[in-house]
Amino acid sequence: MKWIHSFFPTRSLFVKMLIYFLVVIILLSSYNLWSMTFYSRNVNNEIVKYNLTLIRNTVDNFEKQYSTWKSLLLNLQHNEFVGNISRQADAGGKRGIDYLQVDMVMDQIRTLVTQPYYHLNNVMIYYPKHAFLLERDGIVNDDRMFKHYYISDSYPYEFWKQGDHASRGFLQMLPSSLFSIGTEKNEMQLLPLITNVQGSSYNIIAFVNMKSWYESYKGMAGSRFLLQDQDGKVLFQSSPDPKSELLPEWDGKSEWIKQKGSYYFFEKGARSGLTYVSIIPHKELNQSISRMNWFAVLLFAATLLIGTVASWVFSRNINQPLKRMIRGLGQSEMEQYQGSIAEFSAISNHLSGLQHERKTIKEWMDHTKPLLTSYHYLAQFKNIAIDTSASKELWVGEGTFVVIIYQLRYRHITTHQLDALMTRATGKIKDIITMQIQEEFPLSHTLQMEGKQILSIVYTQDRSDLQQSLQQLKRIFDHDQSTYLVNIAVSSVFQQTSEFDQAYAEAASLLLQAMPLEETQIIWEKKQSEDITGFTAEQEHEFYVNLQAGNESSCQTLIERALERLQRQGVTAEQLSHFAKSVSVRMRRTMELLKINTEVFSDNDEKFAYSVTSEQYRDILLDELAHAAQAIRLKREEHYDIIQYVIHYLESHYAEEISLEQLASKLNMSPTYLSGYIKEKTGSNFSDQLNAIRIMKAKELLETTNTPIQEVGNRIGYRNVTSFIRMFKKITGQTPGDYRKTHSFRS
C-alpha cells in the first residue's frame, strides 16, 4: 500500500487529473454500451417494419399501375376507329382500310408507349381474322411480328395465332418472358397484357417493361420480388432463383413468414387480386446489423484505449513541467497555497521570491547598459573591431537626445581586398568624431554601425549646440574629399530613449537628400521631395533607336538635355548616380545585343565610383557613348546591306509565316530598330514590303495558271481568302477574279 502511495501520491496533480479523465471516459463508455445494446435489440424490428412499408408501397404503386393499364386498354378496346378498321378489313381486306384512321390510332398508341410512367414497351391491336396487327410503327402481319420482331420461346407465333386465352375478366396478365425485339435482337423482360371481350373480332396486346417498372419501385438491396396471379402462377420475379424453392404456404393474413433462413413478406392486391412477395435472406437482413455492431465494438474499444492513453499522456505532460519548475525554484519561506494540489502549493511558496527578483532585475535593467550589449552583438555579427576597454564605459542616459548619422563614400571601386581596409579606415574616422563630439558633449556615444556608417547619440535639448562641432568635423573631412566624402544627417530632438528607432529612421531618411557636391554636407531638415526621372519613356525609346543606328550626336543631345533637366529640378546625388549608371547599362546591353565586346568600358566603373557632380557623370557618359557609337557603326559596316538581305529573304520565304521579330532575330537586331531602319531606307514598313512581294507573286499565278483564287492566296502566304482578296484589291484596285478576267481579255 505504501508502495502504491509513493508511486501515485493522492495529492499529486498527475494522479488527480488522470482520475478525472478516467471517470469521464467510464461515463461515456457506459452510455455507449447501453446505446449499442438498445440499438441491437430494436434495429431488427425496425428493419422488418421498414421492409413491410417497402412492399406496401410497391403493392400500392403496382395496383395503381394495373388500374391505369386496364383503363387505357379499355378505352382503346372501345375506340371507334379501332372497330372501324376491323369492319373495313372485313369488307375489303387490308386495301379497304382507311389509313387516316390508322394514323389516328397509331398516334394514340405512340402516346401510351412514350409516356414513361406507363412503362409500356409496345401496344398492339391484333386482328387474328385478317392476320395483321396495328402497333406504334404501323400495320404488320402477325407472322412477321411474332417470328421476327417480338420473339420469345414462351410465346411463339402459334401461341398468339391460337388465341385461346382463358381469363376471369377483361384484362389477362401473362407470365413475363425474355423477348428478342427488333432487327437488332435486343433482349428485354416483358410482361404481356391481353384484353378479352366476348364477341370482339380483335384484342389488344400490351407489353410491360418489367425491368423499368421494378427499378422504379424496387425494395431493399439483396431482396427478391415475385408477382403471382390468383392461381399462384409466377408472373414476374426480379432475380430468378436457381434453386427454384417453393414458397411457404401463406394463410392470407400473416404479414411475413420466416422459413429456411429467409424472410417472406406477403401482400395481396385489392384490385388485381395478385399476390406480391418480397424475399429477403436472413443474412442480408442482419448483415447491416452485424456490420454496424462490429464497427460499434471496434469504435468503443478504440475510444477507450485512445482515451486512456491520451489521459495518461496529457496528465503526464502537465505534471512533468511543473515538477521541473519546482526543482528550479529552490527553497524559500512564504505563506503556503491552501489547496489539494501539492504542485500549486510549491509554486505559491516561491511567488513572493520571484516577484522580488523581478523587481530587482527591472531596477538593474533600468540602470545597466543595454546599448552596450546590443553594440557588442552588432559588432560581432558585422565583424567590426571595437575597443573593448573603452566600450565598458558606455552607458545609456535618460532625457532628450539627438541621433547623428555619418554616411561615408569611399571614392574608389569596392573590392574584397579593400573591404577590411575601409572598415579600419571607418574606425579611425569614428575616433575623430568621438573626440570632437565628446569634447563638447561628454554625455554622448559614437558607434560604428557598418563598414561605411557611423552613428552618434548626443544627449542635448537644442540642436543648435551641435553646429560648431559638426562644422569643425566638416573642415576636417573636406581635407580628404579626394579619398572619401561624408554626408551628415541630424535628427530632431526626441524625449524618450524608447524612441531611438524613430530617431534613427528619421536621420537615415535625411541622408537621401544629399546633393551631388564634392564636400561634406550637413543635413538638418527634411525637404519636400519630388519624383525625378532622367529620360521620359519617349526619350528612352529615341535614345535606344539612335544608339542602335550609331547616331552619336542625337544620343549626346538627349544625355545633355536630361542632365540639364535633372540639375534644374534639384537632383540628389543618389538620383544622379542612378540615372548615369542606368544609361551606361543601356549602352552596354545594346552592344552585347549586337555582339560587340564591352571590356573596353571596364575602367568606367572606377570613374563612376569617383564621380559626384553632374559634369563628371556627363564626361564619363559622353566618352562611353563615343566609343559605343563608333563600335556600332563599324559593326554595321562589317555586315552586308540589311535592306538587300530583307528583300531577298522576303522573296524566298513569302509563302511562309514571317514576322518582324523572326527577321530581327536573324539579324541580331531589335524589332523596333529593324522596323525603323526599313522605313527609313525604303519609305515603307515591313508589312508593306511583304504584302507587295506576295501580291506580285499572286499576279504571276493569276496570269499564267488557272489555279483557284483560294489556292493562289494560300500559295503566297494568305491562309484566309478574304484577307487575300482585300489586300489584292487594296494594292491593284481590282479583285483577283477581275484581274484574271482583264488579263485573259487582253491576251
Side-chain angles (χ1 to χ4, degrees), residues 92 110 154 375 378 435 482 578 582 590-591 706:
R110 290 194 191 101
S154 301
Y375 179 54
L378 179 66
M435 291 175 59
S482 61
H578 175 74
S582 65
T590 302
M591 295 178 67
N706 291 324

Side-chain angles (χ1 to χ4, degrees), residues 296-311:
V297 170
L298 292 175
L299 184 62
F300 170 74
T303 303
L304 189 61
L305 178 61
I306 294 172
T308 304
V309 173
S311 300

Side-chain angles (χ1 to χ4, degrees), residues 244-260:
S244 300
E245 295 180 358
L246 296 176
L247 297 177
E249 292 186 7
W250 180 49
D251 57 7
K253 299 179 180 179
S254 302
E255 294 179 331
W256 59 278
I257 300 172
K258 182 179 179 183
Q259 178 178 302
K260 296 182 180 179

Side-chain angles (χ1 to χ4, degrees), residues 533-744:
T533 58
F535 285 147
T536 63
E538 294 79 6
Q539 290 172 338
E540 184 174 1
H541 176 72
E542 183 180 355
F543 178 80
Y544 182 59
V545 171
N546 283 285
L547 181 61
Q548 281 203 335
N551 192 343
E552 179 183 353
S553 59
S554 297
C555 293
Q556 179 178 343
T557 301
L558 289 169
I559 291 175
E560 290 178 341
R561 288 178 180 175
L563 289 173
E564 290 174 1
R565 183 171 59 257
L566 290 173
Q567 206 164 4
R568 288 195 303 271
Q569 293 175 343
V571 66
T572 64
E574 183 181 7
Q575 292 170 334
L576 181 60
S577 174
H578 175 74
F579 169 74
K581 291 178 180 178
S582 65
V583 174
S584 177
V585 169
R586 169 65 71 183
M587 288 190 286
R588 298 187 191 191
R589 287 181 178 174
T590 302
M591 295 178 67
E592 291 172 357
L593 180 65
L594 297 174
K595 295 182 170 42
I596 300 175
N597 188 7
T598 59
E599 292 182 359
V600 68
F601 302 121
S602 59
D603 295 339
N604 287 350
D605 294 335
E606 184 174 358
K607 295 178 181 178
F608 276 125
Y610 187 82
S611 299
V612 177
T613 65
S614 177
E615 292 76 12
Q616 291 169 345
Y617 282 119
R618 174 185 175 278
D619 293 340
I620 297 172
L621 291 176
L622 294 184
D623 180 67
E624 186 169 340
L625 173 64
H627 286 86
Q630 177 65 20
I632 291 172
R633 288 194 296 272
L634 291 175
K635 188 71 174 180
R636 297 299 186 202
E637 293 173 0
E638 292 175 1
H639 290 76
Y640 52 82
D641 186 73
I642 296 175
I643 297 302
Q644 181 181 359
Y645 175 82
V646 170
I647 299 300
H648 176 72
Y649 185 85
L650 293 180
E651 288 179 345
S652 303
H653 301 81
Y654 62 87
E656 303 173 5
E657 293 287 344
I658 303 176
S659 65
L660 181 64
E661 289 75 10
Q662 175 186 356
L663 194 55
S665 176
K666 291 182 176 294
L667 291 170
N668 290 324
M669 296 180 179
S670 71
T672 304
Y673 174 74
L674 180 58
S675 177
Y677 188 85
I678 295 173
K679 180 73 173 178
E680 178 185 356
K681 297 299 182 182
T682 65
S684 58
N685 56 34
F686 169 79
S687 59
D688 292 338
Q689 291 286 339
L690 177 59
N691 287 322
I693 292 172
R694 285 176 169 174
I695 298 304
M696 180 183 68
K697 299 296 183 182
K699 289 163 68 176
E700 294 178 3
L701 291 172
L702 292 170
E703 293 172 3
T704 59
T705 68
N706 291 324
T707 306
I709 301 299
Q710 183 172 357
E711 179 62 24
V712 171
N714 189 56
R715 286 189 184 184
I716 64 171
Y718 292 101
R719 303 296 177 256
N720 187 299
V721 67
T722 305
S723 301
F724 165 57
I725 295 172
R726 184 170 57 250
M727 185 57 65
F728 191 94
K729 186 175 182 180
K730 177 181 178 182
I731 294 178
T732 65
Q734 293 179 296
T735 64
D738 292 341
Y739 182 85
R740 172 172 277 171
K741 291 177 183 178
T742 303
H743 180 269
S744 300

Side-chain angles (χ1 to χ4, degrees), residues 233-278:
K233 184 188 298 182
V234 176
L235 299 178
F236 170 74
Q237 52 182 334
S238 59
S239 55
D241 187 1
K243 298 180 181 179
S244 300
E245 295 180 358
L246 296 176
L247 297 177
E249 292 186 7
W250 180 49
D251 57 7
K253 299 179 180 179
S254 302
E255 294 179 331
W256 59 278
I257 300 172
K258 182 179 179 183
Q259 178 178 302
K260 296 182 180 179
S262 295
Y263 287 84
Y264 295 83
F265 296 88
F266 293 89
E267 192 77 20
K268 193 172 186 65
R271 303 171 187 173
S272 64
L274 302 177
T275 302
Y276 302 82
V277 185
S278 178

Side-chain angles (χ1 to χ4, degrees), residues 61-73:
N61 287 318
F62 194 84
E63 289 294 304
K64 291 179 180 178
Q65 194 80 68
Y66 178 84
S67 298
T68 301
W69 291 331
K70 188 174 182 179
S71 176
L72 294 173
L73 297 183

